Amino acid sequence: MARALDVVGERWALLVVRELLLVPQRFSELRHALPNASSNLLADRLRELEHHGVIRRRKLASAGSHVYELTEWGRKLEPIVLALSEWGIDAPSPPEPTSLSATSVLIFLRIGLRPDPAAPPIVCRLDLDGSVWTVRVSSGEVQVQGGEPATADISLRTDPKTLGSLLDNPASLDSALAEGSVALVGDLLTLKQLLYGAPDPQRS
């Protein structure tokens, strides 16, 4: 445990790992996702994680820029990050204003949804602050991937904070649709099945 904390125990280290769980990201994207971490602090964490073999930097052939991604060893942190995220749901909320990255709310979606295993599969095109994600719910499991789905049952556009509120408070869906903070293309019942298909017994 002490050796593990030597690698990922510094402040922000596990949050960097969290942000890279779903897709590789540029430095600017990580800065946007972690606004309370200064550029120097974030650069230090990235150097340390790269030095320890948790992440690597890869040059994009098309754009000529670099992205950071998890190594095979770094990806083994996923169940630890998910377990820590689930444990932290019951921790006191920080004072406002707070920020919520797309990755953090998508992880909340993965661990918070309780889909009915017998329900028909759903594919959702999810636009979060201009970035597109594919959410698949099938056989009681939730998968999240970056990029456009080939086909989608519904399309949802919102921001991370609003999506987090919807997951935490189903009663807020109607007002979010009415005020325009959520835009839906497709069937409302399908969206409700996606978000609230089977209630979390700890929240009922």
Side-chain angles (χ1 to χ4, degrees), residues 62-153:
S62 57
S65 57
H66 291 86
V67 293
Y68 293 91
E69 61 186 7
L70 293 172
T71 63
E72 184 178 348
W73 187 52
R75 188 150 293 283
K76 292 180 179 179
L77 284 165
E78 180 169 358
I80 297 168
V81 172
L82 295 180
L84 191 59
S85 299
E86 189 163 15
W87 179 79
I89 287 175
D90 295 323
S93 299
E96 294 288 345
T98 58
S99 62
L100 192 63
S101 73
T103 301
S104 62
V105 76
L106 288 168
I107 289 174
F108 182 29
L109 184 147
R110 280 179 58 184
I111 65 178
L113 292 190
R114 298 294 187 271
D116 182 353
I122 298 172
V123 178
C124 173
R125 180 190 185 274
L126 177 59
D127 184 333
L128 281 181
D129 282 349
S131 295
V132 177
W133 302 83
T134 298
V135 180
R136 289 186 177 87
V137 177
S138 179
S139 302
E141 295 184 355
V142 181
Q143 295 180 339
V144 178
Q145 295 175 308
E148 295 270 0
T151 60
D153 300 297

